[in-house]
Amino acid sequence: MDLYNTLWWAGDDGRYSVWGSVYPPLNFLILKIIRILSYPNLQIALPIELRQLQLGPAIFLCALHLLAPFVVVSFPSWKIGTPVFRIAVAVVVAISPPLLFSMERGNLIIICLFLLPFVFDEKSNVRTVAIALLINIKPYFAVLLFGFLIAGDIKRFLQATAFAGAIFIFTGLALDANFPLFLTNLVGFAQNDTVLSGREVLALPSSISAFSHTLDTIVRTSTNPGIYVSGITQLSTLIELGKAALLLTTLTLVICTRRYLSVPEIMVVLLAIVVNAGVWVGGYSQIFYFACIPVFFGMRLRALHIALVAMMFMPLDLITLANDQLNPSWAYLSNSIVDVVWQIGLGSLIRPILNGLLLFTLAMECVTRISQASPRSTHMRIKYS
């Protein structure tokens, strides 16, 4: 229903003023085109009716998810192994938990996977356009703008910022006059700790903030608080302080070692910072690392980086740690009432830790550049200018 709900709002002017959407206008323009093609001249009363009438949008989004890995490995930067090897990697990623989770949620984030390889392209103009488009799909990609500043490329920073702003304004004007409310809605969503439940956050967590968020939820919803509440609160605070220290340390290191890093490498580190930032990023953000593999291959600690990413894409959730019987619910595809069992798998505990370890190894990558000083000079400037 994430897809069909937003698809319904794509044809309504209350998406920002009534619903309070945190999706930039470009998302709704894409969905509006899908809606016009799927439901021409048809007035629908409720989002659920869109799903009952037409499976086309869902099939289209599923096709995008299955196609994306094969498109990514077809880029020139993927000179890793034989074509058969690259196809095999694409197949594994296509059926991996992060990609299947994104497909199940019906999120347009899959479009970002088509754009990310251009961020690591050797042509600066292509990178600038790609980042501007990414920001208008998912706003947290604005962090990548700082990659230009860190690399000392003020011109590209201004160009990408201006282009991203122009896309936002023109696509917003094409929708309705309430599009500036998107900024207010976005800030409100980021500051609201009660939007997501513990079960939702643990579905496929990315950041270790999933643990602190769940602990905070337990404390907030507890009907019989006791001495244990203080311990849980302290543990939650400790997790957040540890994460903040890692993020700040990594950012400081990438700034200090900017002379020894290529622009794509800087962008990869910033991307890892975003994916580790908090629960609001979403577990499906781990699919971004797949597009980063060619950059990882050029790093000194490549074996560690790639091993951690490979483990994130493994079906760890097949190992069930806990079950919880929920209330019976109506199943759309079978049109019947079924028992729903909520499960938490090993991946829910391991992936956030793996993600944090990846950020740590990238910080160590920066340290190795200092200890084995080789400035980003001849080769880097020629290849990534």
Side-chain angles (χ1 to χ4, degrees), residues 128-142:
T128 300
V129 174
I131 291 177
L133 290 171
L134 284 168
I135 293 171
N136 280 276
I137 297 295
K138 290 293 180 180
Y140 49 64
F141 280 110

Side-chain angles (χ1 to χ4, degrees), residues 1-67:
M1 283 308 295
D2 278 7
L3 169 63
Y4 284 96
N5 192 44
T6 51
L7 193 64
W8 183 79
W9 281 106
D12 188 272
D13 290 339
R15 61 187 68 86
Y16 295 116
S17 58
V18 178
W19 177 29
S21 174
V22 295
Y23 296 112
L26 182 58
N27 289 268
F28 288 106
L29 281 184
I30 296 172
L31 289 167
K32 200 164 190 174
I33 294 173
I34 296 175
R35 175 168 171 150
I36 291 173
L37 294 175
S38 303
Y39 312 95
N41 303 319
L42 188 63
Q43 298 296 322
I44 307 297
L46 295 171
I48 198 169
E49 293 183 30
L50 293 177
R51 191 177 67 174
Q52 291 172 329
L53 289 172
Q54 179 65 270
L55 274 178
I59 294 173
F60 172 72
L61 203 62
C62 288
L64 281 184
H65 278 78
L66 295 176
L67 178 65

Side-chain angles (χ1 to χ4, degrees), residues 177-199:
N178 291 315
F179 80 93
L181 291 175
F182 155 78
L183 299 173
T184 303
N185 298 336
L186 188 64
V187 173
F189 177 80
Q191 294 178 343
N192 193 340
D193 294 332
T194 62
V195 173
L196 301 173
S197 68
R199 283 197 175 100

Side-chain angles (χ1 to χ4, degrees), residues 15 182 194 247 251 283 293 325 330 354:
R15 61 187 68 86
F182 155 78
T194 62
L247 293 175
L251 181 60
I293 289 179
Q325 182 75 41
W330 174 65
L354 293 173

